Amino acid sequence: MPEIDSTWYRQHFNEDYRTLYAARDDAEAEAQVGFALQQLEIQAEDRVLDLCCGHGRHLEALAKRNIRATGVDLSLPLLKEALARGSGPLLRADMRKLPFAGGAEGFSVLLNFFTSFGYFQEEKDNLAVIEEIARVLQPGGRFLLDLMNPQGAKNPDPSTLREEGSFEIAEERWFSAESHRVEKRIRLLDRSTG
């Protein structure tokens, strides 16, 4: 399989992201937040961090339930969309080095939705994310990590072709035994412009 650019995530989460993942909508976020509220017993007084908040759909679902949360993401295009939703404070930061205090001043709840963990080629970088999560959580804080089922990950659908508006989206997926990850190549073609 082809070599993967180790900084692919810097280019991937751009203006095309919403087209690629149109099915990841507000209704899905509402259901996921409902699950998180129940499982983590989140209350209005909790300090909540939505790590890798994307365009803010989970922040908005939390705000509708009077849960104020802070969103963090690296993508400026997605943060711009989240800002337009007006559902809470936002910061641009790398998840390996979060700009927050820890200990008693940290967050009581940290949410990480839509497989936003494990992006880095070097395991030391993924470990740095876990260390940062532990650091910014208050003692006894709660954490939700949304990941793909490992059984399904080992046998991903190898290729799909779909349409989204004027776009044709071709995806190839494979499980890398070396990296223990699902890797993916995406071709996005705007049929109106070629």
Side-chain angles (χ1 to χ4, degrees), residues 41-117:
E41 300 178 357
I42 301 171
Q43 304 295 318
E45 62 271 10
D46 277 308
R47 291 196 63 221
V48 179
L49 177 63
D50 183 359
L51 182 60
C52 303
C53 67
H55 61 276
R57 61 196 180 107
H58 294 100
L59 289 170
E60 187 170 60
L62 288 161
K64 287 178 182 176
R65 293 166 170 88
N66 296 316
I67 306 290
R68 184 168 165 81
T70 300
V72 170
D73 207 285
L74 188 61
S75 168
L76 286 175
L78 294 180
L79 283 170
K80 184 178 176 182
E81 288 189 47
L83 183 62
R85 288 179 182 252
S87 298
L90 300 165
L91 284 102
R92 181 174 189 247
D94 187 308
M95 63 197 306
R96 295 169 289 186
K97 190 162 177 65
L98 296 171
F100 303 110
E105 295 177 30
F107 293 92
S108 54
V109 176
L110 193 145
L111 305 170
N112 184 240
F113 289 108
F114 192 30
T115 62
S116 300
F117 174 75

